[in-house]
Amino acid sequence: MPTEDELFAAVDALLTGEPEMPPPAERARLREAAGITQARLAQVLQTTTQSVKNWEAGRSEPRPPRRQAYQRLLDGWATQHPTRPSMPVPAALSGTPAPAAPSAEPVSPAVAEVPVRPAATSRRPAAKKAAKPATTPAVPRFPHGPLAVLDGDGNAYAVGGVVLDCPATTVTELVEWTLKESCLGAPRLNRNGKDSDPLIVLTAFAAVKLGLPERLEGREERRSLRLAEDHPVVKQIGKAKWQLTQRGFGPWARIYRKAQGSARQCVQLAVLSWDALDTRSWPGVADMDPADIARVLGVYAQRVLTPRGSTAVSGLELMTALRPPTRAVQENGTWVSGHNPGSLGSDPMDPAPPEAIAEHPVVVRSGWSGGFLNEEAYQWVRDPALLSDEECLLPYAVGLDLNTAFLAAAARLTVGLSAPDHFHRPVFNKKIPGSWLADLSHIGLDPRLPSPFTPDGTRPTGPAWYQTHTLAYAQELGHDVQPIEAYLRRETGAYLDPWHDRLKTAYVETLADLGVTADLGDAEFLAAMEHHKQTDPAMAAVLAAIKATVKGGIGKLRERPQGRTYRDGDPWPAMQRPTWRPDIRAAVISKARVNMHRKLASMVKLTGLYPLAVLSDCVVYPSPGASPLDFLPYAASGKPLMGGFRLGPTPGLAKLEGVQGMAWAVDLMEKGLNPARHIKGGDAVLDDGE
């Protein structure tokens, strides 16, 4: 049964939803009536002509702050060029508030949520006494943004340079202050979702002042990454009638009470000195000043979402925030919580046996021995015996890395939303997501390229389970596909599309902040990428966090059991959530690997070059020069040829990963090592290719 909190939040969303944009056709009519071209409108809104075309075709929606500017422009045009009497006037244009009907479409927060930045030296009083910002915020409930960083002197550094006075001396006082006085939080990303709980980040000094240890002490605390149940702070929380989640009080702690009506009572804490911000995902952030930490996390919160744990946890939470499992529906005149179409629902779903892992109860209970999906990223090295003399004489090995390849693969990806059904001898259909048992061992390809059907690039040796995209690629290459059996899903949808769109926008905007934009030529792009991390270390940290959010979010779809006491066949916490979906993870990785092979094959046709090695989304080529410009395919006009690898800042395009000598690469290959793993130099190791 839905909780009272869920029902009230859903109903509130219907009452407070923002006005609908005019229909796509009406947008085009108004622009044409005003005599404005799509290119001119794009210039005014500082976007691309293609984006305007997408808005007017209904393929996408503008995001804040362009959404508000576009809406204002359309309202003005509607006054100047009213609709013909035969055409019904949309509520958004007539001035009548349109009813906020339930929708699965995401609603992004406006940039104007954050108040105007005050002078850098200004000090703000406690939130309940703070002066109103110079402009009215789009969401007045959260005028101080999504989070604050607390130092040991009672200063809470929020976004935009705001500093709040926090008098709390205990954790429970901090929770009360955050909910009642701080005005922190963030609006829901989807009208059917929930507002983000405020986040308080504790420096080491703040943690000690609140009675927490500077570091997790004791063997058990270090192992479990949480305070012991008998710690005074944990007891203090319980005595004040607050609760902790099952994760307890660790680096990321959630403290809550049952909601009062539609108002949530929950605060997220992050303890920096307990390694809440992993240096691999947030390089250098934990060592920054509180104001700079607030800036980094604030930008991430605005472009992605308020951090709710590791970047992997945040990546998974973002999926749910953009596709909430439930929405308000009417039954017999009463609003109740119902399934939100396009979401994964609110109940966990058992995978098909070949989609699971050996420890899963479905596998252990059934005694399944029919094999598993092996859709993983590439780890392939060409046989050194297949190197030609011409290749060995080239001076350089150059590594290319595809930007957020998993994110690019998630675009317009159809995945299963319902439980799997079992079929024998099915006819293959590339439009149906699922797992297929098929024999591809008869397909022989050029050994100088990795096989597209296996992660290690070797030729299949018999029947194996494949995801739909892998078999579809076999068909694309001209081979017959005859599945033996399959587990397929009848209900399908592009579940990851909002996730992809939001993270792609965040990635591109953050790169632009670092001086890497889409209008740069290839040589300019390479030069900008060489120094982009030094341009602004704070924004470089945001970029690293966004990339980690992509990889971690996909990885969390098949989170394995943890702990020394785990026994095969026992359920574990991760598999009991609706987002434990190894089949969706397999679909993303399968599509990413197929995309990589398609580019590798195109490079052979365009340039005659074969790769030396591939590691996930990093590929190493022999080259006559130390730059990708020396071997990538270009037309006589200087434009890059379609099909092969192209340089650029958007997901799926390539950047330089590293350059080494060809003799160095051959030496590693002869030792059975992968040059793509070390091409950066300094013996760098790529984690899933990023």
Side-chain angles (χ1 to χ4, degrees):
M1 290 294 292
T3 65
E4 184 182 76
D5 175 30
E6 292 173 335
L7 293 177
F8 273 85
V11 171
D12 285 348
L14 296 178
L15 296 174
T16 61
E18 64 181 54
E20 294 288 339
M21 295 283 293
E26 179 66 5
R27 303 170 197 175
R29 185 195 74 81
L30 290 171
R31 177 185 54 75
E32 292 169 356
I36 302 298
T37 65
Q38 290 177 328
R40 175 57 178 157
L41 177 56
Q43 182 181 17
V44 171
L45 295 178
Q46 298 182 33
T47 185
T48 64
T49 304
Q50 185 60 50
S51 293
V52 174
K53 291 180 180 179
N54 291 341
W55 299 342
E56 294 184 355
R59 290 190 292 267
S60 66
E61 290 294 316
R63 296 180 177 276
R66 292 188 180 93
R67 183 184 179 94
Q68 290 85 342
Y70 190 31
Q71 178 78 62
R72 181 177 181 180
L73 181 60
L74 292 173
D75 288 345
W77 282 343
T79 302
Q80 299 171 6
H81 311 284
T83 313
R84 293 185 298 272
S86 59
M87 180 184 294
V89 181
L93 298 179
S94 66
T96 304
S103 169
E105 294 304 312
V107 181
S108 299
V111 172
E113 290 158 20
V114 180
V116 173
R117 181 188 296 269
T121 57
S122 68
R123 288 277 301 161
R124 300 285 255 187
K128 62 181 180 180
K129 299 178 182 179
K132 292 184 178 180
T135 59
T136 303
V139 185
R141 291 173 298 153
F142 309 118
H144 295 134
L147 56 89
V149 181
L150 185 64
D151 67 12
D153 297 321
N155 303 316
Y157 294 81
V159 297
V162 173
V163 183
L164 308 174
D165 292 322
C166 177
T169 59
T170 67
V171 169
T172 53
E173 288 178 358
L174 175 61
V175 171
E176 296 279 359
W177 173 84
T178 302
L179 293 174
K180 295 179 180 179
E181 301 185 37
S182 72
C183 296
L184 295 172
R188 64 201 72 183
L189 299 182
N190 182 291
R191 66 187 64 220
N192 298 308
K194 300 176 182 178
D195 294 339
S196 289
D197 299 317
L199 168 65
I200 301 294
V201 181
L202 304 179
T203 64
F205 296 114
V208 172
K209 182 178 178 180
L210 295 171
L212 298 169
E214 182 176 349
R215 296 280 180 183
L216 287 176
E217 303 165 341
R219 181 178 179 183
E220 185 62 26
E221 288 183 352
R222 291 196 303 272
R223 188 182 67 81
S224 62
L225 294 178
R226 67 181 67 184
L227 289 180
E229 295 294 329
D230 60 352
H231 191 279
V233 171
V234 176
K235 290 183 176 180
Q236 171 198 119
I237 291 170
K239 186 176 180 180
K241 307 301 182 184
W242 290 97
Q243 300 180 60
L244 291 163
T245 62
Q246 292 183 349
R247 289 188 297 177
F249 202 122
W252 292 88
R254 297 181 73 83
I255 303 175
Y256 71 97
R257 278 181 186 156
K258 185 178 179 181
Q260 294 180 344
S262 62
R264 289 173 59 80
Q265 296 189 94
C266 184
V267 175
Q268 176 96 43
L269 300 181
V271 187
L272 292 177
S273 57
W274 296 2
D275 299 325
L277 299 181
D278 187 297
T279 56
R280 293 169 297 180
S281 303
W282 301 95
V285 177
D287 298 324
M288 293 180 179
D289 292 333
D292 291 329
I293 296 174
R295 178 190 173 213
V296 170
L297 298 182
V299 172
Y300 180 89
Q302 176 196 333
R303 295 179 180 176
V304 182
L305 87 167
T306 306
R308 301 181 183 178
S310 66
T311 48
V313 169
S314 295
L316 200 65
E317 291 283 344
L318 180 62
M319 296 179 194
T320 303
L322 294 168
R323 294 277 200 190
T326 60
R327 66 171 181 170
V329 297
Q330 274 195 319
E331 288 186 4
N332 301 321
T334 304
W335 288 106
V336 298
S337 181
H339 174 66
N340 187 20
S343 76
L344 297 182
S346 54
D347 297 318
M349 183 185 301
D350 280 342
E355 297 168 348
I357 54 180
E359 305 96 314
H360 198 283
V362 164
V363 175
V364 175
R365 286 198 307 262
S366 65
W368 173 262
S369 58
F372 299 96
L373 274 177
N374 188 26
E375 299 287 11
E376 301 295 338
Y378 268 135
Q379 295 192 52
W380 171 83
V381 180
R382 200 203 312 179
D383 184 348
L386 298 176
L387 290 172
S388 67
D389 292 341
E390 291 79 5
E391 288 175 316
C392 292
L393 291 174
L394 290 172
Y396 295 102
V398 177
L400 293 176
D401 180 63
L402 298 185
N403 302 319
T404 56
F406 290 165
L407 183 62
R412 298 179 298 280
L413 175 67
T414 301
V415 300
L417 302 178
S418 57
D421 292 319
H422 193 197
F423 297 87
H424 290 280
R425 294 290 176 184
V427 176
F428 178 68
N429 187 333
K430 66 180 182 180
K431 295 183 179 180
I432 302 178
S435 304
W436 312 75
L437 181 64
D439 190 349
L440 302 181
S441 60
H442 62 284
I443 301 177
L445 299 173
D446 193 318
R448 291 172 292 180
L449 290 177
S451 167
F453 311 126
T454 60
D456 63 4
T458 59
R459 183 172 176 171
T461 58
W465 288 96
Y466 300 100
Q467 202 276 333
T468 299
H469 279 89
T470 304
L471 285 193
Y473 189 54
Q475 270 192 342
E476 181 182 324
L477 295 175
H479 301 284
D480 187 29
V481 174
Q482 296 183 352
I484 302 168
E485 60 179 303
Y487 286 89
L488 309 176
R489 289 171 165 80
R490 300 179 187 273
E491 183 183 348
T492 65
Y495 172 72
L496 291 174
D497 260 9
W499 186 82
H500 162 271
D501 293 348
R502 187 164 178 84
L503 285 169
K504 176 183 177 181
T505 300
Y507 181 82
V508 171
E509 288 182 351
T510 307
L511 261 181
D513 288 339
L514 294 168
V516 185
T517 56
D519 59 350
L520 296 176
D522 284 359
E524 296 172 317
F525 168 74
L526 291 173
M529 285 299 296
E530 187 176 356
H531 304 290
H532 76 286
K533 293 182 180 179
Q534 289 74 43
T535 302
D536 186 341
M539 288 301 98
V542 175
L543 185 69
I546 292 170
K547 294 193 293 185
T549 301
V550 173
K551 291 190 303 179
I554 296 300
K556 278 281 185 180
L557 292 169
R558 198 191 67 172
E559 185 177 358
R560 292 180 175 273
Q562 302 175 13
R564 295 180 299 178
T565 60
Y566 177 77
R567 296 292 180 268
D568 288 356
D570 292 341
W572 63 94
M575 62 159 279
Q576 299 178 59
R577 64 184 181 226
T579 48
W580 197 85
R581 290 295 302 272
D583 58 300
I584 295 180
R585 174 186 178 273
V588 173
I589 297 177
S590 168
K591 185 179 175 183
R593 197 180 67 242
V594 164
N595 287 347
M596 171 63 82
H597 191 276
R598 190 179 286 114
K599 291 180 184 297
L600 296 174
S602 293
M603 284 289 288
V604 174
K605 296 177 182 178
L606 295 171
T607 67
L609 288 177
Y610 291 85
L612 301 176
V614 184
L615 181 66
S616 188
D617 48 11
C618 178
V619 55
V620 178
Y621 274 101
S623 172
S627 169
L629 302 176
D630 295 314
F631 67 89
L632 289 180
Y634 290 88
S637 63
K639 293 185 178 181
L641 295 177
M642 300 297 291
F645 294 101
R646 292 188 298 148
L647 300 175
T650 56
L653 298 186
K655 60 181 180 291
L656 176 64
E657 180 70 6
V659 181
Q660 300 288 343
M662 184 63 182
W664 168 91
V666 173
D667 183 57
L668 286 182
M669 295 168 69
E670 291 177 342
K671 294 177 180 178
L673 301 176
N674 192 325
R677 188 178 297 276
H678 310 280
I679 193 71
K680 275 187 177 180
D683 204 35
V685 176
L686 281 72
D687 180 15
D688 285 338
E690 190 63 70

